[in-house]
Amino acid sequence: MNDAAPAPTPAPAPRRARVRAPELIGKGGWLNTGGKELTLADLRGKCVLLDFWTFCCVNCLHVLDELRELEEKHRDTLVIVGVHSPKFVHEAEHQAVVDAVERYEVHHPVLDDPELATWKQYAVRAWPTLVVIDPEGYVVAQHAGEGHANAIRTLVEELEAEHAAKGTLRRGDGPYVPPEPVATDLRFPGKAVLLPSGNLLVSDTTRHQLVELAEDGETVVRRIGDETTFREPQGLALLPDGKVVVADTVNHALKTFDPESGAIERIAGTGRQWWQGSPTSGPALDVDLSSPWDVAWWQGKVWIAMAGVHQIWTYDPETGTVQVAAGTTNEGLVDGPAAEAWFAQPSGLAATADRLWIADSETSALRSIDTEGVVHTAVGTGLFDFGHRDGAADQALFQHPLGVTALPDGSVAVSDTYNHALRRFDPASGEVTTLATDLREPSDAVVVGEDVVVVESARHRLTRLRLPEEAVQVESVAHRTRREATEVAPGRLRLDVVFQAPKGQKLDTRYGPSTRLLVSSTPPELLLDGEGTGTDLFRELELNPELTEGVLHVSAMAASCDDDPENEYPACHVHQQDWGVPVRLTADGAARLPLILAGMDA
């Protein structure tokens, strides 16, 4: 008989939560499948990654690029499915989704879900959101925002090993069927500029080139660069020395092109994407940028619409330096001193003597910076209201404009992209009118003599219009973003941002707290308590019982590093996301609001 106490039984490894994945449904049907309707049963045996995205969202475009290496490396075991979930009315049009899938080179099946049916089934609250489903059809992880590719790669490799051992992994080709290529001189052109020669230079975005066209705007003179030179170039601006500065958007860089010699030179950006905590000023070639979308020459500098971080930057050719000029990286519409202003994916710039005009796409707004460094909004109210309405500027509406152009009479033309229209704002009268309709996703316009040449991005061409003396009469429409409000109780509301460091990582606390939470609201009086910045990923909020609805703006960041004690310099990863959560205050509403940054809400 042995009286010794039995050895303690080792604690079982924690089991992953097993939630059956809801079916994939969407009235728009499937793209990139050769016409086949997919179900989750068709994907059984594969690791499945659902990418909830919408094509207006620059963070969603970042995630598409983040996932390309993972998609290629695990193509026999992993199926990525894009679930297109529209924010704007235009994004619910099926042809617009077809165009976007080609424009952004999406090489996996895409479900067009115009009514957000699958979005609701998976309780998604933000673009982009990634959901991992295991080969047996269970949801095993959810991530919001950017920066999760490494964590998902680790999880996919773990699932591959686990299900290969169980016999539940099915290798082989996935369901992706590429569409037939289409021959056109331009393919989703982005921006254009008039050269001193009278020719037009166009960023041929999807073909990763610049194209010089003759004065007719149709005849190709030459093509400049390729995929090794540019990646989805957008904005173009003529410099005083005759060179053209190019916003090389997906390469996160600025380059110059010399029309005389043909030389191309990188002048700003490292090729890496800027993340929170990275330098925001310094030698231009040593500072990371984030999806520069447009450029303009103003006050002796190149001004940059830094869409990826909701800011305006400048490049000074005299000193070879870059710095932030306006914006905090918070997404929204806040005017005032440049350092305190908020933008939302600025995508178009135009300079006049007294101000820099900005097409602030996600707020459907026309904004400006004056020579004193103060930000003003001419048209637009915020992230959730948009439409096509002419009249007084404080009542007028745009829908996701991508371009703005200074006109000879002191007014500005707005490429009102998702309304397929060219609009005009007159600062003298404070009125908005419509100049032309029946354009297809116009993204820029250039004044050429008495004409304006419009970049019709989704018709793959430039269209010449005579500047009309009178406005076009358009029936007014107004919209709000198509997301249902979350019902919450007035008074105390517990906000929890769920973050679980991915397997093999831990929170990076070497230099202090590694998490950040910023909370605000529209209208500001919605929050009686809980506004501001802190380092905890939870917050007790106090909601004003005298209001019935509003929007909570939440921005969260967490930094994790590889947990390897042998490595003195472990790789670190930044996870970040902004949420705009419409809320409706009701007596029986929820007292807790969970937002998933990474992991599963217990």
Side-chain angles (χ1 to χ4, degrees), residues 441-515:
E441 291 191 15
S443 53
D444 197 18
V446 182
V447 175
V448 181
E450 295 183 355
D451 298 337
V452 61
V453 175
V454 180
V455 180
E456 268 199 282
S457 189
R459 283 201 179 111
H460 320 292
R461 70 187 188 191
L462 304 189
T463 297
R464 187 179 295 264
L465 305 171
R466 181 56 51 93
L467 276 172
E469 294 181 6
E470 295 185 3
V472 177
Q473 295 300 307
V474 176
E475 183 179 349
S476 278
V477 292
H479 304 289
R480 283 186 67 81
T481 301
R482 302 166 54 108
R483 277 187 289 168
E484 293 180 358
T486 299
E487 293 194 350
V488 296
R492 304 299 289 179
L493 176 69
R494 165 84 177 203
L495 170 67
D496 282 319
V497 174
V498 177
F499 178 77
Q500 295 153 5
K503 186 175 181 179
Q505 296 179 30
K506 64 179 180 180
L507 286 174
D508 177 18
T509 56
R510 291 172 297 169
Y511 309 107
S514 61
T515 54

Side-chain angles (χ1 to χ4, degrees), residues 47 66-67 76 170-171 182 201 259 274 278 356 358 374 378 410 413 421 444 524:
C47 302
E66 285 180 7
L67 295 178
D76 68 330
R170 177 167 56 89
R171 296 184 179 272
V182 182
L201 188 67
W274 186 94
S278 301
L356 181 74
I358 302 160
V374 178
D444 197 18

Side-chain angles (χ1 to χ4, degrees), residues 3 21 46 95 108 140-141 143-144 165 180 248 262 296 319 323 385 390 395 529:
D3 293 330
K46 299 281 192 181
Q95 185 57 47
H108 50 248
V140 293
H143 303 266
E180 289 293 321
D248 192 6
T319 60
Q323 65 178 26
D385 293 290
D390 289 331
Q395 297 295 313
D529 190 30

Side-chain angles (χ1 to χ4, degrees), residues 8 62 69 72 79 81 96 124 183 198 228 267 298-299 319-320 331 339 370 378 381 413 445 490 530 547 560 589:
H62 290 166
E69 182 180 350
E72 179 60 33
V79 175
V81 174
V124 175
T228 65
I267 59 170
W298 190 53
Q299 295 189 319
T319 60
E331 184 179 12
D370 65 23
T381 59
L547 297 183
S560 61

